[in-house]
Amino acid sequence: MRYVSTRGASPAVGFVDAVLGGLAPDGGLYVPRTWPQISPAEIAGFADKSYAEVAARVIGAFAGDEIDAADLLDMCREAYATFTHDAVVPLTQLEPGVFLAELFHGPSLAFKDVAMQILARLYDHMLSGQGRTQTILCATSGDTGGAAVEAFRGRRAVRVVALFPEGRISEVQRRFMTTATEPNIACVAVKGSFDDCQAIVKNAFQDAVLRQAVDLSGVNSINFARIAAQAVYYFTTAAALGAPGRKVSFCVPSGNFGDAFAGYVAHRMGLPIGEIVVATNANDILARTFQTGRYARGKVEPTISPAMDIQSASNFERLYFESTGREPVETARAFAAFAEAGVIDVAPQTLASMRALFRGVAVSEAQTRRTILATLNQTGELIDPHTAVAVAALSRADILTGPVVVMATAHPAKFPRDVAEASGVTPQLPRGVADLAGRPERFDRLPAEAESIKAYVRAFAGA
Ligand SMILES: *Cc1c(COP(=O)(O)O)cnc(C)c1O
């Protein structure tokens, strides 16, 4: 399987290079040259398979012959054995026809673990034998950093620098990163927003000298392996609810559009999907785009669902590329213009193509809080604020096709204060991490300046 850049100015590469490279050298994102297909009979058979087996099949479709199938299955088994639920991503019913996909049973209690646990093993596998040590630079809006630290701590061939916006993430989120004691992990509190952190990461990747000096790699949702790994639970949940015999719809709390785009990928691979509702908080760039066709950056507003406080959804570039009928020149023009002016006017035909699958709904803070309480009262389920954004969006969307799966992206105990304020109930951390608050923290503080952060990365990598 070959991977091309959405901007068309980088050479096509194989799976291993696309994963280890993260962002393409021309600033675009890698996508497979063609979408691999999974037949209806095979999708039906997923209902009887373990999560790890389905993961090996779906990710294997993207890895092609670059990773041995038996090795991949072993890696998937190991990755998903770190989850505390045997089903890995279990379904809970909220009401007739509406289900929660619980994506938060991994080591850092957020859906990022689903992709990161397998990604770390893929990295180890791919780098071993090459004698390489890579430096992973990642910007986190809260959960990516914790998931990356949990997945990569102590691994020999990889060191991780995690950038997080100071004061914009919850204490539990921060502690999942900063309490790691392994020397291959560095955490940096950046005086700025998540978008600032993300822009600094982009800048670092475009610095060819730094990139080579520290063998830079990325695990943000720009990394295609994460998207591939996230497509897996669209298949497992839909198959459990009767796919491909009936269409299933999804409602996804969205920030960087990685989770929702994975649904698009599953759809392109042959999974019948009714619709995907893209639920946003007050940072509603995606909801506005699907409604109006104008992708326009606003000011980032802090909310109680901080992992979605994003006004520049990096995976939107992949959808744009696909929806223009794969026009790399147009995609490069549009996203260069967005970097300058902060706006893309999506052409009517492109927008119509996006709307064939996606619909956007923005949810206010008050609605999110009310939904946490109402869900507890009506179902006994305590949900986190990100999940609540999606549940609230669903109640505002029109009738969807078939059963609906709402992506429950974090455990409520990651956001104890806001959940308790909304519901009157303080969520408890699961047994394995109950002592998190007592562990010592270790992190550095830097201004939101690309140069100082790049110097820090260089020093940490010993380059
Ligand atoms: C990252 C995250 C999201 C948003 O996912 P994207 O792939 O960035 O759209 C939603 N909820 C939680 C809890 C997250 O950590």
Side-chain angles (χ1 to χ4, degrees), residues 205-259:
F205 270 94
Q206 281 162 348
D207 181 336
V209 177
L210 177 77
R211 208 174 150 136
Q212 204 187 354
V214 306
D215 201 345
L216 203 59
S217 188
V219 293
N220 278 99
S221 56
I222 53 177
N223 193 303
F224 190 78
R226 280 187 55 183
I227 303 291
Q230 289 166 189
V232 174
Y233 48 75
Y234 284 86
F235 281 101
T236 59
T237 56
L241 295 172
R246 58 176 179 173
K247 284 189 179 177
V248 175
S249 289
F250 293 87
C251 183
V252 189
S254 196
N256 247 328
F257 197 58
D259 196 357

Side-chain angles (χ1 to χ4, degrees), residues 123 170 196 332 352 369 374 402 413:
Y123 265 77
S170 83
D196 294 333
R369 290 199 175 87

Side-chain angles (χ1 to χ4, degrees), residues 110-112 143 253-259 307-308 310 384 386 409-410:
F111 97 97
K112 306 286 196 299
D143 291 324
S254 196
N256 247 328
F257 197 58
D259 196 357
M308 293 149 60
I310 294 172
D384 99 287
H386 303 78
T409 49

Side-chain angles (χ1 to χ4, degrees), residues 104 109-113 140-144 173 194 198 221 226-227 230 233 252-262 278-279 286 305-310 313-315 384-387 407-411 414-415:
F104 51 73
L109 310 182
F111 97 97
K112 306 286 196 299
D113 290 323
T140 181
S141 56
D143 291 324
T144 302
Q173 285 180 313
F194 170 68
Q198 191 158 251
S221 56
R226 280 187 55 183
I227 303 291
Q230 289 166 189
Y233 48 75
V252 189
S254 196
N256 247 328
F257 197 58
D259 196 357
F261 185 74
V278 176
L286 285 170
S305 47
M308 293 149 60
D309 292 350
I310 294 172
S314 49
N315 276 287
D384 99 287
H386 303 78
T387 308
M407 297 303 182
T409 49
H411 191 288
K414 268 196 122 162
F415 307 93

